[in-house]
Amino acid sequence: MRSVRFATVAGTVVLAVALAGCGSSTKKVDEQPQAGDNAGALVGVTMPTRSSERWIHDGDNVKRALEKLGYKVDLQYAENDIPTQVNQIENQITKGAKLLIIASINGKALTNQVDQAAANHIPVISYDRLILNSPNVDYYATFDNFKIGVQQATSLLVGLKLLKADGTPGEAKGPFNIELFAGSPDDNNSSYFFNGAMSVLQPYIDKGTLVVKSGQKDFDTIAILRWDPATAQRRMEDLLTSTYKGGAKVDGVLSPYDGLSIGILSALKSSGYGTGGQPYPIVTGQDAELASVKSIVKGEQYSTIYKDTRKLADVTVKMADVVLKGGKPEVNNTTDYNNGKKVVPSNLLDFVVVDKNNYKSALIDTGAYTQAQVG
Ligand code: GAL
């Protein structure tokens, strides 16, 4: 069904190009001016929440890039409420959107909506988070999420001095007490981050160099629903009470997202870390949110992962534009992201691990922040 649909739109483009006159068209289909009905079409963009800074940037960047190409944009945020996101997508279909870009709250909750989109010949691009259990997810744009987990764990090892920055063994021997946090269990990315991280940490745990002192290691126990900072803070407080009351210290915390890291650091601070000669443990993160970058500059959070969402927006919008013109966008991965019904053709972007040593080159020189913003 889907390929028939694309083929038909592509046919229209070829026809339009042919009618536009011979001789002038040495360009590829992808580079042709917009064809037929989709010039200036409405594109529906749905983002999970405004409570995290990154999604505000994502939404703005996608909207801006689409508008630059002449499309109209309906941009919606659902404040992490699944029924709201479902309604927003259904409204966009009703309003006549010609393509949907969706960053889902719960990857399993949108099957009906993307199936409905397909029935209306509306292609769907999953943005950063994969929509699961439907054959009607056409493309996916994200970062290399397993590799992000690998790098978060590697950065934890570097922070603990078990490794040097170049990956060779560091001066420390351990054992070190660590605790593990994972992202929202309904976000497909969370297990990629966690599995990537554990691929690095497990051998150290097996050797006894790293000790998960609470014993809480399985994904379901350590996952934080909706990536909620307050839930992470409570879990860290509980761990400190249950496991570290007798004087043992936390040396490291694997945190997959800056919002969680800030909650975790706040629990640690209330328990006396960061003061009186008791340093904060090594705490990782992701997204390079301003609060965390400031925290890194102050020497509190140890690291984050900078994902340039301007690039993610550009790649996504480029794909959308090609699809709207009836073409087939380029992808760089056709193996890793099986959504339960199909392997979704994906564009995976690269990212940068950021700590106090390289934040200037990674974040200031690239224009992500100004020095004045980060302090
Ligand atoms: C994930 C995303 C992370 C982080 C998290 C919480 O899906 O990959 O970068 O933003 O959501 O918003």
Side-chain angles (χ1 to χ4, degrees):
M1 271 311 279
R2 309 233 93 194
S3 51
V4 170
R5 200 181 81 222
F6 287 137
T8 311
V9 184
T12 315
V13 175
V14 170
L15 185 66
V17 169
L19 290 174
C22 314
S24 63
S25 87
T26 45
K27 287 179 180 173
K28 287 191 299 191
V29 168
D30 295 0
E31 294 163 357
Q32 293 300 331
Q34 287 177 30
D37 293 347
N38 287 336
L42 178 69
V43 177
V45 181
T46 36
M47 294 280 151
T49 177
R50 277 198 191 84
S51 70
S52 151
E53 192 183 287
R54 73 151 286 189
W55 297 113
I56 299 176
H57 295 314
D58 285 278
D60 289 347
N61 291 337
V62 170
K63 186 167 189 281
R64 192 177 313 117
L66 283 166
E67 285 174 347
K68 214 167 145 195
L69 294 174
Y71 296 107
K72 288 194 270 303
V73 180
D74 181 52
L75 168 63
Q76 298 291 337
Y77 286 85
E79 303 324 323
N80 275 335
D81 183 57
I82 298 166
T84 303
Q85 187 164 59
V86 163
N87 279 336
Q88 290 170 339
I89 294 168
E90 288 176 353
N91 282 339
Q92 291 174 337
I93 294 173
T94 311
K95 279 197 232 163
K98 296 287 186 230
L99 182 137
L100 299 176
I101 295 174
I102 304 173
S104 57
I105 297 164
N106 177 327
K108 292 185 180 149
L110 299 177
T111 318
N112 291 342
Q113 287 61 45
V114 296
D115 290 352
Q116 197 183 324
N120 287 280
H121 309 295
I122 304 167
V124 171
I125 300 180
S126 250
Y127 184 88
D128 205 28
R129 298 174 173 177
L130 187 59
I131 297 171
L132 303 176
N133 298 339
S134 169
N136 295 313
V137 181
D138 296 289
Y139 294 99
Y140 181 35
T142 188
F143 294 83
D144 190 335
N145 294 313
F146 185 89
K147 199 164 137 199
I148 286 175
V150 166
Q151 291 301 335
Q152 286 171 330
T154 306
S155 155
L156 182 60
L157 297 179
V158 172
L160 290 170
K161 300 199 164 47
L162 285 167
L163 285 184
K164 290 192 187 139
D166 65 5
T168 58
E171 72 229 29
K173 293 281 169 277
F176 292 114
N177 293 329
I178 62 163
E179 295 298 337
L180 309 172
F181 283 72
S184 193
D186 55 5
D187 179 344
N188 188 56
N189 290 347
S190 301
S191 57
Y192 281 77
F193 301 143
F194 183 61
N195 293 338
M198 289 313 276
S199 73
V200 173
L201 299 181
Q202 193 62 53
Y204 288 83
I205 294 171
D206 292 343
K207 276 186 288 188
T209 311
L210 294 178
V211 179
V212 183
K213 197 160 164 54
S214 66
Q216 297 182 12
K217 279 183 264 189
D218 72 288
F219 179 80
D220 290 337
T221 311
I222 65 166
I224 302 293
L225 186 65
R226 300 285 128 72
W227 302 91
D228 179 38
T231 310
Q233 179 167 347
R234 266 196 309 278
R235 178 165 179 260
M236 191 69 230
E237 284 163 3
D238 291 347
L239 289 170
L240 289 165
T241 312
S242 63
T243 309
Y244 295 91
K245 261 276 176 273
K249 292 296 170 202
V250 190
D251 299 307
V253 181
L254 174 77
S255 166
Y257 160 57
D258 285 348
L260 306 189
S261 317
I262 292 294
I264 290 163
L265 283 161
S266 155
L268 287 159
K269 188 171 191 177
S270 305
S271 185
Y273 287 84
T275 47
Q278 176 58 54
Y280 282 111
I282 304 301
V283 180
T284 61
Q286 173 170 212
D287 284 355
E289 294 202 326
L290 185 55
S292 283
V293 178
K294 285 180 167 170
S295 177
I296 290 171
V297 172
K298 275 197 279 177
E300 296 174 350
Q301 187 172 323
Y302 179 72
S303 64
T304 188
I305 301 282
Y306 175 51
K307 312 200 302 197
D308 191 338
T309 53
R310 296 168 297 188
K311 286 191 188 144
L312 185 62
D314 283 349
V315 164
T316 306
V317 168
K318 201 175 272 172
M319 287 204 279
D321 188 41
V322 172
V323 171
L324 283 162
K325 288 173 179 165
K328 238 177 143 200
E330 276 178 29
V331 295
N332 63 15
N333 187 288
T334 52
T335 52
D336 287 5
Y337 285 94
N338 188 325
N339 79 342
K341 294 287 179 197
K342 72 188 252 202
V343 178
V344 182
S346 307
N347 268 311
L348 306 188
L349 278 76
D350 239 327
F351 58 86
V352 183
V353 186
V354 178
D355 59 27
K356 209 175 171 175
N357 298 317
N358 71 340
Y359 83 90
K360 284 203 171 105
S361 63
L363 301 176
I364 312 295
D365 298 351
T366 57
Y369 295 113
T370 62
Q371 183 68 53
Q373 277 177 302
V374 306

